Amino acid sequence: MQEADIAIEKGNYKEAIKLLDKAIEKKKYLSEAYTDKAHCYTMLDKDDSAIIVYNQLISYQPDNTLALYNSGLCKYRQEQFDEAISYFDNAMTTKGFNPHDSSKSQLIFEYTPEGNKLLGNPGKFDVALPEIFYMSGLAHYEKRQIRKAYSYFMRCISEGFNLGESHYMIAACWLSLGKKEKACESFKTSSLHGYSEASQQLSKNCN
């Protein structure tokens, strides 16, 4: 694992994969070896191979948030948005959030790194819920499921996550619904949070 880490730092991803395979031969359920191996495939632009590795990990660790989330990212990059959404939904479920509950309020507990350590949780395989919300929102937006996308971006904003881009995507949702005035308000808010693309859209759509 240490040799693989060095290889990854140097960008020698093929060599790292060989070393990680050796680690897995010695210890089949070494979670970090699978995530590092999948990461190497991603860096080599081989998302299909990365997904295979993540699924190997998920097969014995179904609540591994990072593996589910990163699988969703792979599918998103491949523009396979339905499958991306499914992975993101499963990642949310590991955090105690029900993506099929349409109520505005769900009580979710996020553990801090210190909390994970205290409870013995594998914190290194964690992903913050708002980050999952944001990517799921993008996937739903690409599917033209605008109201669902809007709800996720609003959740990001309520959590104070990625505010510039979240407000920008809220504006994009409003434009898709033909609500130009509301879109312009959100573009302004996004611009105030320093997101440069929002300023361009203000000039283009909000004279």
Side-chain angles (χ1 to χ4, degrees):
M1 287 298 298
Q2 290 175 346
E3 291 176 21
D5 287 342
I6 293 170
I8 291 170
E9 289 176 6
K10 292 180 178 179
N12 297 330
Y13 300 114
K14 291 181 179 179
E15 178 63 22
I17 289 170
K18 292 178 183 178
L19 293 165
L20 292 164
D21 281 338
K22 289 181 180 180
I24 292 168
E25 284 177 14
K26 291 187 175 184
K27 190 174 181 180
K28 183 178 179 181
Y29 301 115
L30 188 58
S31 302
E32 190 172 354
Y34 288 93
T35 55
D36 285 355
K37 182 179 175 181
H39 169 72
C40 288
Y41 278 125
T42 295
M43 297 306 293
L44 292 168
D45 293 323
K46 295 183 176 181
D47 277 334
D48 281 333
S49 296
I51 290 169
I52 289 171
V53 177
Y54 284 129
N55 282 335
Q56 289 171 342
L57 176 53
I58 292 166
S59 69
Y60 73 85
Q61 209 173 80
D63 290 335
N64 190 305
T65 310
L66 182 65
L68 292 164
Y69 174 73
N70 283 347
S71 296
L73 292 182
C74 291
K75 289 296 184 180
Y76 181 85
R77 287 191 292 268
Q78 294 175 335
E79 298 185 357
Q80 296 178 20
F81 301 118
D82 284 328
E83 293 182 62
I85 289 167
S86 179
Y87 276 116
F88 293 142
D89 282 354
N90 288 334
M92 291 178 204
T93 301
T94 69
K95 311 286 285 183
F97 180 87
N98 181 357
H100 305 295
D101 183 349
S102 60
S103 64
K104 292 183 178 180
S105 177
Q106 288 196 51
L107 186 60
I108 305 300
F109 293 98
E110 286 270 33
Y111 292 113
T112 64
E114 293 77 14
N116 274 321
K117 185 176 181 180
L118 181 65
L119 294 168
N121 293 333
K124 65 172 58 180
F125 302 117
D126 197 18
V127 181
L129 191 57
E131 188 172 346
I132 307 171
F133 286 158
Y134 184 78
M135 286 309 306
S136 188
L138 291 181
H140 282 287
Y141 182 82
E142 293 291 346
K143 287 280 296 176
R144 313 315 295 166
Q145 296 168 348
I146 302 302
R147 296 186 186 279
K148 188 72 172 178
Y150 176 91
S151 71
Y152 279 127
F153 295 130
M154 286 300 294
R155 288 186 183 276
C156 289
I157 291 168
S158 69
E159 295 288 338
F161 177 79
N162 210 8
L163 290 175
E165 294 182 38
S166 294
H167 279 289
Y168 180 90
M169 290 309 303
I170 287 290
C173 289
W174 282 127
L175 277 183
S176 296
L177 295 172
K179 305 289 187 179
K180 186 174 179 180
E181 185 175 341
K182 289 184 176 291
C184 290
E185 291 175 5
S186 293
F187 280 135
K188 288 177 184 176
T189 304
S190 175
S191 180
L192 289 173
H193 284 286
Y195 193 53
S196 60
E197 291 187 29
S199 299
Q200 299 172 13
Q201 291 298 321
L202 279 170
S203 300
K204 180 180 177 181
N205 294 291
C206 308
N207 295 326

